[in-house]
């Protein structure tokens, strides 16, 4: 029986390994992590991450050929293939601060592999890493190998949260990069045979190591760039009276452009886009390509601009002040169907409103109070460290912020509502009931274009929708960009 061990039981390691276990009953899969609470949660009925369909997959194979453990050394030693799926935060100090990836956790995982291995192993990079990380890892492994042979592969994961299980069941492609030596090619074939249990052969792409590593950064940069492009258009639409949804639809009909990832929003979030672009920027700079670096930086600049533009719109619409006004925040996760708040645009929007002394009442169906409070006091990039190294429950919570159990409680007595995540329930809640319980004039700022603006206007709301023709009220109170 082939044995797989995955170091890192996070958003990538957990679901990916669960699906490998489900699809490959002949393979034993053990997911290990240094975080005890995380492993305990994976072994309980309350999994540490919310992902549609994940519970089912885990229930089917946990205890059969899928195991979760904190005994990193034992399971790494026993494995034939070791996936590494650990945190790769952005450096906050020293060389490359604010851009380069901090490979501390990666290096520590590599040293563990070298220390405990007694047989040859294939080591697979799963978490996104800067190009040429494989080379560094290879050096750590070979210099500490005691005669054991390691083959490094890059096998980036392209799953998106909220659809992780679907994406893993039917991936657009699986990418495996390896050395162009006979041993490297053999390792590629071994990993390919794992995926071939359920992925059609023509969807398994094999490349050299550097192409695989760069493809992951490039894919995320391209996706984020589409969102920044449509968000840039949304600002122009508001200024001209065009409707960004109509523009997106019209350009998406061009088969060369395609319809996906053209939804204007308050900004993209998530653990990957910003981090990977910063990484790309840093690599360009290190390789003497400042113009290329500058080009990709703009994607992040527009994203930041979109968030501050939204805050400005809220403040300017409400007579240029939100001081002591209750604002309801509907949705805090970075997108629907996940409880993940990493780099969520809600953090910057809330901080912007708090900066203007607003009183916030936040409701999200999946995010805990602790998490929201922690996010609002955490420093930039601190989120990307293992759980046990993050601040525990915050000592002092942000005073102007309270957490509500549902949308009705959050909006009661509020002056305005900001919709920051596109949860389905925000389309169907009773806005008439909400309107009746709010201060007047009552505002809705829809950062995800989920509400029926016309229906809400009929109720009496003043509605702002990203990239849509503006209410007369909003035209009279222009936001300062
Ligand atoms: C992304 C990539 O899609 C995935 O391939 C990669 O493996 C990890 O990074 P993820 O961050 O989980 O996945 O979510 P994604 O669906 O890409 O959304 C990212 C952000 O962009 C979210 O905040 C989402 O709301 C936003 N978005 C997405 C838009 O604002 N508009 C769109 O049209 C699409
Ligand atoms: P991702 O979204 O890429 O899956 P996460 O932050 O969700 O990232 O998960 C990474 C996991 O890796 C965390 O649970 C963390 O505790 C774990 N981890 C980090 N370093 C090590 C290590 N050296 N050994 C084992 N687990 C590690």
């Amino acid at each position: 029986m082939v044995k797989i061990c995955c170091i890192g039981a996070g958003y990538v390691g957990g679901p990916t390994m669960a699906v490998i276990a489900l699809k490959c009953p002949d393979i034993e899969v053990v997911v290990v992590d240094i975080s005890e609470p995380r492993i305990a949660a994976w072994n309980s009925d309350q999994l540490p991450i919310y992902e549609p369909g994940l519970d089912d997959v885990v229930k089917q194979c946990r205890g059969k050929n899928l195991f979760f453990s904190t005994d990193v050394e034992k399971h790494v030693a026993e494995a034939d293939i070791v996936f590494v799926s650990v945190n790769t935060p952005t450096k906050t100090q020293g060389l490359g601060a604010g851009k380069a990836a901090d490979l501390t956790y990666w290096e520590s995982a590599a040293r563990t592999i070298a220390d405990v291995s007694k047989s040859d192993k294939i080591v697979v990079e799963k978490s996104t890493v800067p190009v040429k990380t494989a080379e560094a890892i290879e050096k750590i492994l070979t210099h500490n190998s005691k005669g054991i042979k390691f083959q490094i592969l890059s096998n980036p994961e392209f799953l998106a949260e909220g659809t992780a299980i679907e994406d893993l069941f039917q991936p657009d492609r699986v990418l495996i990069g390896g050395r162009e030596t006979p041993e490297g090619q053999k390792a590629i074939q071994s990993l390919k045979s794992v995926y071939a249990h359920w992925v059609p052969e023509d969807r398994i792409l094999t490349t050299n190591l550097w192409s695989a590593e760069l493809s992951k950064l490039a894919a995320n940069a391209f996706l984020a760039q589409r969102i920044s492009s449509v968000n840039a258009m949304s600002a122009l639409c508001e200024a001209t009276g065009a409707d960004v949804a109509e523009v997106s639809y019209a350009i998406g009909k061009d088969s060369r452009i395609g319809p996906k990832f053209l939804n204007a929003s308050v900004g993209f979030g998530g653990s990957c886009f910003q981090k990977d672009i910063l990484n790309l920027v840093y690599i360009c700079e290190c390789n003497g390509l400042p113009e290329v670096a500058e080009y990709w930086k703009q994607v992040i600049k527009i994203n930041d601009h979109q968030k501050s533009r939204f805050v400005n719109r809220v403040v300017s619409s409400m007579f240029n002040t939100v001081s002591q006004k209750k604002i309801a925040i509907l949705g805090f996760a970075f997108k629907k169907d996940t409880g993940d708040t990493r780099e969520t645009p809600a953090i910057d929007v809330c901080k912007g409103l708090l900066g203007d002394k607003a009183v916030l009442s936040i409701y999200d169906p999946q995010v805990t109070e602790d998490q929201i409070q922690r996010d609002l006091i955490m420093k930039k990039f601190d989120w990307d460290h293992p759980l046990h190294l993050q601040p525990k429950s915050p000592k002092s919570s942000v005073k102007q912020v309270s957490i509500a159990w549902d949308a009705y409680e959050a909006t009661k007595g509020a002056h305005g509502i900001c919709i920051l995540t596109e949860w389905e329930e925000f389309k169907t809640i009773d806005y008439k009931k909400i309107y009746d319980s709010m201060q007047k004039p009552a505002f809705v700022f829809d950062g995800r274009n989920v509400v029926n603006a016309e229906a809400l206007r009929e109720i009496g709301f003043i509605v702002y929708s990203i990239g849509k023709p503006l209410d007369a009220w909003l035209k009279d109170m222009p936001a300062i960009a």
Side-chain angles (χ1 to χ4, degrees), residues 335-398:
K335 62 191 247 192
K336 72 171 179 179
D337 290 340
T338 175
D340 193 355
T341 59
R342 295 179 294 177
E343 298 284 3
T344 175
I347 295 176
D348 285 344
V349 170
C350 288
K351 282 184 176 170
L353 294 171
L354 288 168
D356 236 280
K357 299 201 174 65
V359 179
L360 304 183
S361 179
I362 305 177
Y363 165 65
D364 186 288
Q366 282 298 331
V367 185
T368 61
E369 172 161 12
D370 248 28
Q371 186 62 52
I372 292 174
Q373 287 287 0
R374 207 180 307 146
D375 284 335
L376 292 176
I377 56 164
M378 216 186 294
K379 287 199 216 105
K380 210 170 156 65
F381 304 126
D382 272 3
W383 54 268
D384 202 3
H385 289 275
L387 224 51
H388 67 287
L389 298 179
Q390 284 178 19
K392 294 257 167 355
S393 210
K395 278 188 216 90
S396 59
S397 47
V398 182

Side-chain angles (χ1 to χ4, degrees), residues 7-13 32-35 38 72 85-87 105-106 108-109 112 127 161 271 275 342 384-388:
I7 307 181
Y11 286 88
V12 172
V32 296
D33 202 294
I34 40 177
S35 163
R38 203 160 225 190
V72 180
S85 192
V86 300
N87 321 58
Y105 304 113
W106 238 106
S108 141
T112 305
S127 37
E161 285 173 35
S271 65
K275 185 169 76 175
R342 295 179 294 177
D384 202 3
H385 289 275
L387 224 51
H388 67 287

Side-chain angles (χ1 to χ4, degrees), residues 98-143:
K99 281 179 282 194
D102 171 355
L103 292 174
T104 312
Y105 304 113
W106 238 106
E107 186 171 334
S108 141
R111 288 186 187 279
T112 305
I113 298 171
D115 284 349
V116 304
S117 292
K118 294 188 183 66
S119 57
D120 295 354
K121 292 193 195 318
I122 296 172
V123 177
V124 186
E125 277 181 345
K126 198 69 181 154
S127 37
T128 313
V129 285
V131 182
K132 299 262 169 177
T133 298
E135 198 163 71
I137 300 307
E138 208 170 44
K139 283 190 183 130
I140 294 175
L141 291 173
T142 45
H143 282 279

Side-chain angles (χ1 to χ4, degrees), residues 53 244 271 287 308 435:
V244 75
S271 65
N287 284 286
S308 49
Y435 180 79

Side-chain angles (χ1 to χ4, degrees), residues 157-159 161 216 227 261 263 265 268-269 334-335 448:
E157 186 46 62
F158 295 102
L159 67 80
E161 285 173 35
K216 171 66 182 184
I227 302 167
F261 262 66
N263 287 324
S265 67
F268 60 72
F334 82 98
K335 62 191 247 192
R448 297 287 183 169

